[in-house]
Amino acid sequence: KEFSFDNVFQPVVGGDAGQGDIFEDTSNLIQSCLDGFNVCIFAYGQTGSGKTFTMEGPPDNRGVNFRALDSMFALALERADEARYTISLSMLEIYNEKIKDLLNPSDANLDVREVPSRGTYVAGATDKSVSTPDEMMALIHEGNLYRTTEATKVNEVSSRSHAVLQVSVRARNKYQD
């Protein structure tokens, strides 16, 4: 398979690109998501390079994830006359080739499965419905508390895992069966 990137951002050095700039350049993805397309926002880099800061950010400079979720709920509310949206999320950790459900941390070592009618999914992963951005952000914060961390030379509380936050949007047209 061949994959392409819409945007690749350089590190923030001397103010080249901040959370606001990155969000603005990717905000069209929210529209695409509510239109039924799969969307992925991916942060990659070495320990201490700013992935968590870019995706989550501090309360006074919220990251791309939180800005995107706010925008998604706002757009769904704008479209409420046309469709009813249901938004849910799952949050997983991949560490040492094991998958753990961060929203139900007692579920460790889940399996990835692929079914033609459903696609690829993690069997047994919690999928929680949410109705506000604050509710979703509280779940994300809660899930982050269960991530595996360990000190490194660069970062005392470095996450030693990969986190996968999956937001699912389901739409039902109000004027069709």
Side-chain angles (χ1 to χ4, degrees):
K1 292 184 178 181
E2 187 174 305
F3 298 94
S4 64
F5 297 95
D6 294 324
N7 293 304
V8 174
F9 297 95
Q10 297 302 312
V12 178
V13 178
D16 292 335
Q19 274 102 307
D21 297 329
I22 293 169
F23 175 72
E24 287 303 316
D25 283 355
T26 60
S27 62
N28 64 321
L29 297 175
I30 304 306
Q31 176 82 35
S32 296
C33 180
L34 291 179
D35 288 341
F37 293 94
N38 289 327
V39 171
C40 178
I41 302 173
F42 181 77
Y44 176 80
Q46 69 186 35
T47 298
S49 64
K51 299 177 298 292
T52 301
F53 182 82
T54 299
M55 298 307 281
E56 295 179 17
D60 62 333
N61 187 15
R62 292 169 72 173
V64 174
N65 278 350
F66 297 133
R67 292 172 193 239
L69 297 172
D70 277 340
S71 180
M72 180 184 300
F73 276 95
L75 188 55
L77 188 61
E78 278 179 30
R79 294 176 163 193
D81 288 343
E82 305 160 16
R84 188 176 70 205
Y85 291 92
T86 304
I87 300 174
S88 63
L89 81 144
S90 66
M91 192 169 175
L92 306 170
E93 173 185 74
I94 303 169
Y95 180 66
N96 284 342
E97 298 182 23
K98 294 182 179 173
I99 301 172
K100 177 171 81 173
D101 187 338
L102 293 172
L103 300 179
N104 185 7
S106 62
D107 284 347
N109 210 14
L110 301 174
D111 293 322
V112 176
R113 301 208 177 134
E114 189 169 1
V115 176
S117 63
R118 184 174 177 185
T120 304
Y121 68 100
V122 176
T126 302
D127 190 44
K128 292 196 176 186
S129 291
V130 291
S131 49
T132 67
D134 289 338
E135 186 180 350
M136 182 172 278
M137 289 177 214
L139 283 171
I140 293 169
H141 177 72
E142 181 183 323
N144 279 331
L145 295 176
Y146 295 107
R147 290 197 59 196
T148 302
T149 59
E150 186 177 311
T152 66
K153 289 181 180 178
V154 177
N155 185 343
E156 281 190 32
V157 292
S158 177
S159 172
R160 306 309 305 146
S161 65
H162 301 281
V164 178
L165 171 67
Q166 181 173 339
V167 178
S168 298
V169 179
R170 293 166 186 85
R172 170 170 248 130
N173 190 320
K174 282 188 168 183
Y175 304 109
Q176 291 180 346
D177 291 340

